[in-house]
Amino acid sequence: MQETGLIHDIVHTGVPGLDELLNGGVPRGTTIILEGNPGTGKTTLGIQFLLEGARQYGESGIYITFEELPEQIYRDMSGFGWDLRELERQNKLRIICLEPDVLLDQMMRTDGLFEQLIREIDCKRVVIDSISLFRTLAGLGNDGREQIYSIRNIMRKFDLTAFFLREYGETEGRSTPFENYVCDGIIRLSLREHLEKYRKRTVEILKMRGTCIVEGEHHYRFMKDGICILPALSMVEDKILSDGVERLSTGIESLDELLIGGLPQGSAFMLDSNSKANYKYLMNSILAERLKRGDCVLFMLSGLSSVETIDQTLELFGASLKEAAAEERVFFIDHYHRKVEPEYEKLVIYVDRLSNEEYQKKVYEAINPHFRETMVQGRRWFIHYDLNTIISERGREFVKRNFADEMARCRAAGVTVLCQTNFTEIGLETSSFLERASNGVIRTWVDGSYQYLQITKSPGGRMSAPHIVDNIRDRPYVRLI
Ligand SMILES: Nc1ncnc2c1ncn2[C@@H]1O[C@H](COP(=O)(O)OP(=O)(O)OP(=O)(O)O)[C@@H](O)[C@H]1O
Ligand SMILES: [Mg+2]
């Protein structure tokens, strides 16, 4: 009989972000409870643990379910692009559906079905979905200590690293269930109300024997290819500071602090705000700062912002648009064909009544010569990208087809982009795509009588706490508290 795996033998879960929270992974041979309300992603995370084990670490796994048929799981998980049948063909995975008492019976027998299966595929990882159903179906009520204890011991015996999924909440009352004591670790997934209209998905590690963990709640997201955990602020060291990338000040000291110096040059950031939130101070402070520092700026005009209004607003922030225009360092994309003062005339790219193809061509041809010239002079470029305007004028499909590509090209050229957007309005699907294609997200929203701001994504995976946006009398008119 093997003892529990040595502490230094760590099993990497392979789930993005999770291993960081676990100081590398979970000790081999341990049994972890993965608990959460229905729909929080237990099945997804469980499958991901097995899938990444097979794909990244050459470790085979078994998924045991009591209710859902394998067909259902194949289908649900194919949404993440996971071909589980193929893994089964390669003997890297087995998904089995059986009755709890059959499972127990087969587990307890020497050379029973379970043991045979373990040997057959050289299994290292196991997921049981779920321990709550196991109890219910086995008619164990709230008890079943003996049985659960036995299963855990079997896992240890075969040095299997196991996730026991558990429905958490409503029905269980206040007492801590038995399995939470006997298992080596507890990971909890939650979906909670967050301020007014927002909900947040968070993961918390409540216990993990044999490894030091990062405490606190960390956000997680469903991505196209599975769950991704974003470790919270406190744990990420300032490694980004030493990455050599220049930081562009936003003109707001407290925001610069959250961004560890400012926006990284060559990055694409989202400024996401709901309609009530005043993003203009933030945006204009950033744009004014770029002009004051001598950068070239490409403005995408919206229906509400014209060259004239930008001129006036930036003046409030101590930047002169006219001066920059005289030096040919500002350009404007206008979808609405508005007249401008003569000094701006040759700097506006009119794109109304153009097809998407013509639009791209026109912008490219107008900007490219300037871009080349100014890069030689060592000038930086900054783009104010108004996603709301692009989506309404060019369509969602255009954004989906081109955005990631455009951002990649900007990044490669060292051009910094700030995209103004309203994730709630443009819908979950497009916004999560946009979020993925960008390096960082600054989110601001109004709730009750306060405006909040939070960095929800940044290049190092760092998130900030929500801050209150406080208005002040003098420039830059806002500060974060
Ligand atoms: N790309 C996605 N974006 C947001 N949510 C998603 C995405 N893909 C799946 N989901 C949500 O994840 C949930 C399914 O996850 P999963 O089946 O892993 O949860 P679960 O905790 O096992 O649920 P249950 O308790 O019902 O078994 C669904 O509620 C679904 O709406
Ligand atoms: Mg499930």
Side-chain angles (χ1 to χ4, degrees), residues 71-257:
E71 285 306 319
Q72 175 83 36
I73 295 178
Y74 296 138
R75 207 174 46 232
D76 289 351
M77 298 299 136
S78 68
F80 296 110
W82 298 340
D83 187 353
L84 303 179
R85 279 201 187 84
E86 179 54 28
L87 283 179
E88 289 199 300
R89 272 192 289 275
Q90 297 169 4
N91 280 334
K92 291 180 177 163
L93 176 71
R94 286 283 180 275
I95 297 182
I96 54 176
C97 176
L98 34 70
E99 304 281 326
D101 42 353
V102 179
L103 174 73
L104 255 183
D105 184 47
Q106 291 301 329
M107 274 185 166
M108 305 310 275
R109 281 173 206 243
T110 320
D111 210 30
L113 206 63
F114 187 74
E115 193 170 336
Q116 285 174 30
L117 199 56
I118 299 284
R119 296 197 200 293
E120 201 177 294
I121 64 165
D122 189 24
C123 180
K124 303 281 187 224
R125 305 182 179 209
V126 171
V127 172
I128 298 184
D129 189 358
S130 66
I131 211 75
S132 334
L133 262 179
F134 172 83
R135 266 218 185 98
T136 317
L137 296 175
L140 297 168
N142 274 335
D143 200 29
R145 291 170 185 233
E146 206 179 306
Q147 291 83 349
I148 290 167
Y149 195 63
S150 301
I151 302 182
R152 196 221 48 189
N153 284 345
I154 303 271
M155 298 297 133
R156 284 197 181 168
K157 175 176 159 191
F158 292 106
D159 207 18
L160 297 165
T161 309
F163 277 17
F164 289 1
L165 312 194
R166 194 173 86 81
E167 298 268 321
Y168 159 77
E170 283 69 63
T171 52
E172 83 181 31
R174 295 199 177 274
S175 63
T176 308
F178 170 72
E179 56 266 26
N180 285 20
Y181 293 108
V182 300
C183 289
D184 305 289
I186 305 169
I187 300 175
R188 181 181 294 170
L189 301 176
S190 320
L191 178 61
R192 297 218 190 107
E193 298 293 329
H194 180 47
L195 299 167
E196 195 187 11
K197 277 177 285 178
Y198 291 75
R199 311 197 84 197
K200 59 176 182 182
R201 289 184 187 274
T202 55
V203 56
E204 189 170 11
I205 296 164
L206 299 178
K207 143 175 169 182
M208 196 61 64
R209 286 181 190 145
T211 181
C212 67
I213 55 168
V214 181
E215 290 183 353
E217 292 184 342
H218 308 271
H219 283 247
Y220 69 94
R221 297 272 154 82
F222 281 93
M223 310 290 267
K224 240 193 196 120
D225 52 358
I227 285 177
C228 174
I229 294 165
L230 303 153
L233 184 65
S234 55
M235 67 158 306
V236 183
E237 291 139 36
D238 283 356
K239 59 183 172 200
I240 314 159
L241 259 188
S242 55
D243 63 7
V245 174
E246 195 174 343
R247 299 269 156 176
L248 312 182
S249 168
T250 62
I252 301 165
E253 206 182 322
S254 39
L255 182 56
D256 283 349
E257 272 165 29

Side-chain angles (χ1 to χ4, degrees), residues 37-45 68 77 80 129 167 201 222-223 428:
N37 287 324
T40 43
K42 301 180 294 295
T43 300
T44 311
L45 200 68
E68 290 188 67
M77 298 299 136
F80 296 110
D129 189 358
E167 298 268 321
R201 289 184 187 274
F222 281 93
M223 310 290 267
L428 185 68

Side-chain angles (χ1 to χ4, degrees), residues 26 50 55 97 110 132 135 209 258 321 338 385 410 437:
V26 299
L50 299 182
R55 289 207 295 213
C97 176
T110 320
S132 334
R135 266 218 185 98
R209 286 181 190 145
L258 291 190
L321 194 65
R338 288 163 293 199
Y385 195 112
C410 286

Side-chain angles (χ1 to χ4, degrees), residues 243-381:
D243 63 7
V245 174
E246 195 174 343
R247 299 269 156 176
L248 312 182
S249 168
T250 62
I252 301 165
E253 206 182 322
S254 39
L255 182 56
D256 283 349
E257 272 165 29
L258 291 190
L259 292 163
I260 338 170
L263 299 168
Q265 185 182 351
S267 66
F269 262 71
M270 296 277 160
L271 176 60
D272 169 39
S273 63
N274 67 15
S275 48
K276 279 190 263 170
N278 192 343
Y279 59 86
K280 287 196 180 126
Y281 284 117
L282 301 165
M283 185 57 94
N284 285 308
S285 170
I286 294 169
L287 293 168
E289 195 62 23
R290 290 303 95 221
L291 288 185
K292 286 193 250 178
R293 308 252 178 160
D295 294 359
C296 298
V297 179
L298 174 62
F299 292 87
M300 187 161 321
L301 304 180
S302 72
L304 292 173
S305 70
S306 61
V307 174
E308 205 183 342
T309 58
I310 292 179
D311 188 337
Q312 289 161 1
T313 327
L314 292 182
E315 208 180 308
L316 286 177
F317 286 84
S320 164
L321 194 65
K322 287 206 175 66
E323 232 173 81
E327 294 169 9
E328 295 193 12
R329 352 184 232 112
V330 283
F331 301 90
F332 309 90
I333 297 178
D334 190 8
H335 276 90
Y336 309 98
H337 216 103
R338 288 163 293 199
K339 276 205 119 17
V340 290
E341 292 176 54
E343 59 260 57
Y344 293 115
E345 261 164 16
K346 60 178 182 190
L347 305 171
V348 182
I349 310 160
Y350 290 106
V351 295
D352 50 311
R353 290 196 299 255
L354 295 186
S355 74
N356 286 344
E357 239 167 53
E358 292 164 341
Y359 159 80
Q360 280 184 303
K361 191 159 175 280
K362 182 155 185 191
V363 172
Y364 179 80
E365 283 172 1
I367 292 297
N368 205 34
H370 293 286
F371 182 68
R372 284 164 185 272
E373 200 179 304
T374 47
M375 287 306 260
V376 174
Q377 299 162 356
R379 283 200 194 275
R380 282 179 306 229
W381 272 75

